[in-house]
């Protein structure tokens, strides 16, 4: 499923050396202990700067999702495998096979801690970004499954829930380096509504209130006041935002609301459109990019830019996709499928100047190519770290392409 949809600019990665083959892990299902894969591998050297390239991807990769650091592309297969690819050529440098059955695109790439993380069904698995080696694995009991995952400051946070008992949700903190479980607590949370973690705190929501917990112990520190509904919790930089859920069956949504990270009190926030908030991204300097569309007929809509610092709307861009990324102070998305003059391109827009920007802040478009069309169901991600590139994956005819940032 597609959840945890907000991200800030992707963190910079580390120099990569990879492996040609992933290994297997065992598990202790009764204790949930971390299992470290100790199978030796021969590293594959990866060198060269980011370049433009195109590579085919497997059907399993096309069913998952991809992310990128400043030094590599990492893709998760639909069933929880992980694939590392060269920033210079797009070639596969290492693979971690699927840990079992299940289907999800729940991939997290935490470059600061050198970890790629997948949470599929009851298996949480991490791979070392330098080597492609499985770092550790946790398996839940058969009646539980992982949902949201997040990483910050050397810790991986995971929400898991019971398939038998409604409301039985647990938040666990794992040390990113070796998988040691640092703490776990039963929490009031919607396991699919997102996790935020920064500033020594981790945040979850049950749909009607947000709870802040200590990153060190998991102890509850603050809750948001009544009347501040939060079906979807978004974060980026040091900003915390509540929106309506993109999975809502209704056509009325609570207003977008910024929360103070310390007290969880609502802060002045620009008025949103009142439409379905399908996806959000938050830049490090506090610009919320929110794709808002019709609840009755989702599809075409508007990417609206909101200044969270000053509580005002900045600009809108109408298009037919909720796919987008943040890179180099710009927002990158696909041009509208219905606009025959500009379709089949990427467009980058200055976060503050918008589509009407001029000079160096003017919008820029890539050359046209067919796999950016809607029928290919393309997705885009940005490596960050000043690489000057973006990565596009086409799902229908599986391909991965590195392009200069327009």
């Amino acid at each position: 499923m597609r959840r945890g949809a907000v991200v800030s600019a992707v963190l910079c990665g580390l120099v990569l050396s990879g492996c040609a083959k992933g290994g297997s892990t065992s598990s202790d299902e009764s204790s949930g202990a971390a299992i470290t894969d100790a199978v030796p591998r021969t590293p594959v050297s990866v060198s060269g700067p980011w370049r433009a390239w195109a590579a085919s991807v497997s059907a399993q990769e096309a069913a998952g999702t991809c992310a990128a650091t400043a030094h590599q592309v990492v893709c998760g297969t639909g069933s929880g495998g992980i694939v590392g690819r060269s920033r210079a050529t797009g070639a596969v440098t290492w693979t971690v096979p699927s840990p079992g059955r299940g289907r999800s695109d729940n991939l997290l790439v935490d470059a600061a801690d050198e970890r790629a993380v997948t949470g599929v069904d009851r298996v949480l698995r991490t791979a070392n970004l330098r080597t492609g080696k499985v770092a550790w694995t946790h398996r839940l009991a058969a009646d539980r499954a992982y949902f949201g995952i997040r990483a910050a400051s050397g810790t991986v946070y995971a929400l898991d829930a019971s398939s038998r008992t409604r409301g039985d949700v647990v938040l666990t903190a794992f040390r990113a380096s070796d998988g040691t479980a640092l703490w776990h607590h039963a929490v009031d949370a919607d396991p699919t509504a997102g996790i935020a973690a920064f500033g020594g705190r981790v945040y979850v929501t049950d749909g009607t209130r947000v709870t802040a917990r200590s990153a060190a112990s998991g102890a509850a520190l603050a809750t948001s006041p009544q009347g501040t509904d939060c079906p979807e919790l978004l974060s980026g930089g040091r900003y915390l935002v509540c929106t309506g859920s993109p999975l809502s069956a209704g056509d009325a949504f609570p207003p977008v609301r910024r929360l103070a990270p310390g007290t969880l009190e609502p802060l002045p926030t620009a008025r949103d459109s009142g439409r379905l908030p399908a996806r959000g991204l938050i830049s490090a300097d506090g610009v919320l990019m929110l794709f808002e569309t019709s609840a009755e007929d989702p599809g075409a809509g508007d990417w609206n830019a909101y200044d969270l610092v000053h509580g005002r709307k900045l600009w809108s861009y109408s298009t037919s996709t909720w796919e987008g990324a943040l890179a180099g102070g710009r927002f990158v998305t696909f041009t509208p499928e219905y606009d025959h003059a500009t379709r089949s391109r990427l467009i980058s827009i200055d976060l503050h100047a918008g589509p009407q920007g001029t000079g160096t802040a003017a919008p820029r478009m890539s050359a046209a190519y067919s796999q950016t069309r809607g029928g290919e169901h393309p997705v885009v991600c940005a490596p960050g770290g000043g690489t000057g590139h973006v990565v596009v994956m086409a799902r229908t005819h599986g391909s991965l392409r590195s392009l200069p940032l327009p």
Side-chain angles (χ1 to χ4, degrees):
M1 68 180 72
R2 189 203 65 80
R3 300 292 298 178
V6 67
V7 292
S8 60
V10 179
L11 294 171
C12 294
L14 299 169
V15 176
L16 169 68
S17 63
C19 66
K21 183 179 181 181
S24 60
T25 61
S26 58
S27 66
D28 180 348
E29 295 177 8
S30 62
S31 66
I35 314 300
T36 302
D37 183 355
V39 178
R41 294 168 177 79
T42 302
V44 175
S45 177
V46 177
S47 61
W50 268 94
R51 297 189 179 99
W53 45 258
S56 61
V57 299
S58 67
Q60 290 78 18
E61 283 179 88
T65 191
C66 294
T69 73
H71 293 277
Q72 64 186 302
V73 179
V74 181
C75 295
T77 68
S79 56
I82 311 173
V83 180
R85 289 180 174 270
S86 165
R87 67 186 181 271
T89 66
V92 173
T93 54
W94 50 263
T95 61
V96 174
S98 169
R101 293 179 295 180
R103 187 173 182 84
S104 172
D105 62 358
N106 211 0
L107 169 73
L108 167 71
V109 176
D110 177 19
D113 294 318
E114 304 180 29
R115 293 289 180 261
V117 188
T118 59
V120 178
D121 193 39
R122 62 194 184 103
V123 180
L124 184 71
R125 166 175 280 190
T126 67
N128 186 305
L129 290 178
R130 283 183 179 268
T131 66
K133 179 180 177 179
V134 174
W136 48 268
T137 299
H138 280 271
R139 295 179 187 267
L140 295 167
D143 63 343
R144 303 190 69 85
Y146 285 107
F147 290 89
I149 54 177
R150 193 79 175 184
S153 303
T155 306
V156 174
Y157 302 96
L159 281 170
D160 69 85
S162 169
S163 61
R164 297 180 180 178
T165 306
R166 183 178 178 87
D168 180 1
V169 180
V170 173
L171 175 64
T172 305
F174 301 96
R175 190 158 56 213
S177 59
D178 60 12
T180 298
L182 303 174
W183 51 260
H184 69 276
H185 290 284
V187 293
D188 292 327
D190 178 344
T192 68
I195 307 173
F198 58 89
R201 295 187 172 198
V202 56
Y203 304 84
V204 295
T205 178
D206 65 1
T208 60
R209 66 176 183 175
V210 178
T211 302
R213 292 180 175 272
S214 165
S217 67
L221 301 175
T223 57
S224 59
Q226 288 186 335
T228 309
D229 289 345
C230 195
E232 184 84 355
L233 183 62
L234 312 179
S235 66
R238 300 182 70 83
Y239 300 93
L240 198 63
V241 173
C242 290
T243 75
S245 170
L247 301 183
S248 173
D251 57 5
F253 311 98
V256 172
R257 184 71 68 195
R258 179 186 170 196
L259 302 181
T263 64
L264 298 182
E265 291 290 329
L267 298 174
T269 311
R271 183 178 178 181
D272 60 283
S273 72
R275 295 184 295 163
L276 172 69
R279 189 181 180 199
L281 303 163
I282 303 177
S283 70
D285 63 349
V287 175
L288 166 65
M289 293 301 309
L290 191 65
F291 186 77
E292 298 176 85
T293 184
S294 167
E296 290 81 11
D297 185 23
D302 298 296
W303 276 104
N304 292 316
Y306 298 98
D307 182 342
L308 295 175
V309 177
H310 300 99
R312 60 193 177 98
K313 183 176 177 179
L314 296 173
W315 51 268
S316 292
Y317 179 71
S318 298
T319 188
S320 48
T321 179
W322 62 16
E323 292 298 336
L326 302 173
R330 301 179 75 87
F331 173 66
V332 186
T333 189
F334 299 100
T335 53
E337 180 71 11
Y338 49 75
D339 187 340
H340 292 274
T342 65
R343 72 176 183 180
S344 303
R345 300 171 188 265
L346 283 171
I347 183 170
S348 77
I349 303 170
D350 184 275
L351 277 174
H352 293 273
Q356 305 306 315
T358 59
T360 59
R364 302 192 295 259
M365 280 191 282
S366 71
Y369 73 98
S370 61
Q371 285 191 298
T372 61
R373 292 184 180 178
E376 290 287 347
H377 301 287
V379 296
V380 62
C381 64
T387 65
H389 284 72
V390 292
V391 177
V392 175
M393 182 172 72
R395 295 184 185 274
T396 301
H397 299 93
S399 77
L400 202 62
R401 190 179 297 253
S402 170
L403 299 169
L405 175 68

